[in-house]
Amino acid sequence: GTLFLIQFFWQFPHFWAIGWFLYEDYEKAGFFMLPTGKKDKSTALQTILYTVWLIVASLLPALFPYIGIVGSRLYLSPVAAVVVLILGLWMLKAAVALYKKRDAKTARRLMMVSVFYITLLQLVYIADKFLR
């Protein structure tokens, strides 16, 4: 349940960032990868909103322990929750930067931050389980 939500909300800022900095390549191929079809404030705002939902989803195991299907209980300690929140704020900062600058360089940075975010998030979840 929770891991699905995390992956679900993460994919949008990640792929929209890729769609942004590779916009011209996708356009030549006839694909429009951004939610509005163009690099605009609305697309950047949606990236921020999905990142906020991603942060909320990533903190669910700390806020409501044992959410999920029977046998797949997920819990996040307070210390790990703080680390997860910091990671989420890092990604949110990159999404807000895209909204402010709306350029390919900032979109590429958001994409890279998203890759590190999802990797580090998963490592925190694993470490938290085994270090408790």
Side-chain angles (χ1 to χ4, degrees), residues 29-124:
F31 294 103
F32 298 94
M33 304 300 287
L34 301 176
T36 65
K38 53 192 171 199
K39 302 185 285 186
D40 60 8
K41 276 188 173 186
S42 181
T43 288
L45 179 61
Q46 289 184 58
T47 301
I48 291 170
L49 295 175
Y50 276 82
T51 302
V52 169
W53 282 112
L54 169 63
I55 294 167
V56 171
S58 70
L59 291 171
L60 285 176
L63 301 172
F64 304 101
Y66 308 114
I67 288 178
I69 59 172
V70 177
S72 85
R73 295 176 184 204
L74 189 58
Y75 172 75
L76 198 57
S77 70
V79 171
V82 169
V83 174
V84 165
L85 177 61
I86 291 168
L87 288 172
L89 293 175
W90 178 44
M91 185 147 161
L92 183 59
K93 180 181 175 190
V96 169
L98 179 61
Y99 181 81
K100 289 179 178 177
K101 296 182 182 177
R102 293 189 303 281
D103 63 6
K105 181 180 178 183
T106 309
R108 185 181 303 267
R109 175 157 170 67
L110 173 57
M111 186 272 300
M112 291 305 298
V113 167
S114 74
V115 169
F116 285 110
Y117 166 85
I118 199 71
T119 303
L120 293 171
L121 179 80
Q122 291 172 4
L123 290 172
V124 168

Side-chain angles (χ1 to χ4, degrees), residues 21-38:
F21 74 81
L22 295 177
Y23 182 82
E24 289 74 21
D25 292 338
Y26 282 117
E27 187 179 40
K28 287 177 193 171
F31 294 103
F32 298 94
M33 304 300 287
L34 301 176
T36 65
K38 53 192 171 199

